[in-house]
Every structure is written in structure tokens, then in C-alpha cells.
């Protein structure tokens, strides 16, 4: 796994799109709501709305990065504990 990550075959922040039908339906609804508001807004309001959506995406990406980092660190600590326990086991 580490070699594949090193050579770029596995990119942790990229995931295959495995959206369920429920997720796809929610996305369609969200896009429809966005279109509705954009059509009703003035040009200035539309620009501000688009900027707000962009900022929301940036926040979500930052949070996902932190979640990944935390999960990776927790998994590494767990493996260290497991290896430590294995060294102290009597076989």
C-alpha cells in the first residue's frame, strides 16, 4: 500500500464516486434549489451566493483533510499498539 501511495497509484484524497441513488437524488435536489435561487437573484446577489458556495466547498475540503489526517494517525497509533502487544505475547 505504501509503495502504491508513493508511486501515485493510490491517492488518499481521491475516492471513486460511489454515490448511492439516495445521494444522487439529494444532489439533484440541491442543484435544482441552487438554480431556483440563482434565477431569482440580482447579478450582485448571484455573485455573492456563488462565492458563499465556493467558501462552503473550501470548508468541507479542509474538514475532510483533517478527518483523513486524524484517522490515519489513529490507525497508525493502533498498529503501533498492536505491534507492541505482539512483542510481549508468549507464543
Amino acid at each position: 500500500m505504501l509503495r502504491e501511495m508513493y508511486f501515485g497509484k493510490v491517492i488518499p484524497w481521491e475516492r471513486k464516486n460511489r454515490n448511492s441513488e439516495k445521494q444522487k437524488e439529494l444532489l439533484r435536489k440541491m442543484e435544482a434549489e441552487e438554480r431556483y435561487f440563482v434565477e431569482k437573484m440580482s447579478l450582485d446577489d448571484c455573485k455573492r451566493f456563488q462565492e458563499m458556495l465556493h467558501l462552503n466547498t473550501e470548508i468541507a475540503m479542509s474538514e475532510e483533510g483533517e478527518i483523513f489526517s486524524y484517522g490515519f494517525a489513529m490507525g497508525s497509533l493502533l498498529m503501533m499498539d498492536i505491534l507492541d502487544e505482539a512483542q510481549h505475547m508468549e507464543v
Side-chain angles (χ1 to χ4, degrees):
M1 177 69 151
L2 289 175
R3 284 180 178 271
E4 290 185 8
M5 285 176 70
Y6 179 80
F7 289 111
K9 294 179 182 175
V10 173
I11 303 171
W13 56 87
E14 289 184 354
R15 293 178 284 189
K16 292 183 180 176
N17 192 356
R18 295 182 180 151
N19 289 339
S20 67
E21 283 305 313
K22 183 178 179 180
Q23 288 172 318
K24 289 178 185 177
E25 181 58 29
L26 288 172
L27 182 59
R28 282 190 286 270
K29 286 180 181 180
M30 192 171 80
E31 289 171 346
E33 291 300 313
E34 182 180 340
R35 276 192 305 277
Y36 170 82
F37 285 112
V38 167
E39 289 171 1
K40 303 284 183 185
M41 292 181 196
S42 69
L43 184 58
D44 287 338
D45 288 341
C46 186
K47 286 180 182 178
R48 289 189 70 179
F49 182 69
Q50 294 295 330
E51 179 62 22
M52 183 196 66
L53 292 176
H54 176 74
L55 292 170
N56 191 41
T57 299
E58 283 188 39
I59 289 169
M61 289 177 65
S62 176
E63 287 175 350
E64 285 186 16
E66 292 205 17
I67 290 168
F68 171 80
S69 178
Y70 180 77
F72 191 88
M74 293 299 290
S76 297
L77 291 171
L78 179 62
M79 288 305 300
M80 289 170 55
D81 280 349
I82 291 169
L83 293 172
D84 186 51
E85 287 292 322
Q87 288 178 347
H88 295 96
M89 293 178 81
E90 293 181 28
V91 179

